[in-house]
Amino acid sequence: MNKFGLLSLLMFVISITAFFVMRGPDGEIYLTIVVLSTFSLTGLVFAALSKQLLWKVLGIGVNMIPLIFAFLLLFAMGISEP
């Protein structure tokens, strides 16, 4: 069992949980973007430190999902502001 691979998957679970906790009509969008990006980048670092190829591929693939979502959310907030 690889601890960095498991930490990478744990960062994914934490980022998804943080998104569901922080959402809502009065949720702070920019704080959500920062939190998702931070957890996702930390998960990518843990995946890169992993020694087994399976954990690397799985960790990088899974942690790119919240990072891409945070980027699209930031892009949408930039378009919506005058």
Side-chain angles (χ1 to χ4, degrees):
M1 196 58 63
N2 193 355
K3 66 178 178 179
F4 287 123
L6 289 176
L7 283 173
S8 174
L9 294 179
L10 182 66
M11 287 294 125
F12 171 71
V13 171
I14 290 172
S15 66
I16 296 299
T17 305
F19 171 73
F20 283 119
V21 168
M22 298 171 70
R23 69 185 179 109
D26 51 334
E28 185 65 35
I29 298 297
Y30 291 111
L31 180 64
T32 304
I33 292 169
V34 169
V35 167
L36 283 176
S37 300
T38 304
F39 284 142
S40 182
L41 289 174
T42 306
L44 287 172
V45 168
F46 283 145
L49 291 175
S50 159
K51 295 201 187 317
Q52 295 176 349
L53 183 64
L54 175 68
W55 291 109
K56 282 185 183 185
V57 171
L58 188 64
I60 289 172
V62 167
N63 280 307
M64 286 301 287
I65 295 169
L67 189 62
I68 291 170
F69 182 74
F71 173 72
L72 291 175
L73 191 58
L74 181 64
F75 186 65
M77 290 303 295
I79 290 174
S80 68
E81 292 180 355

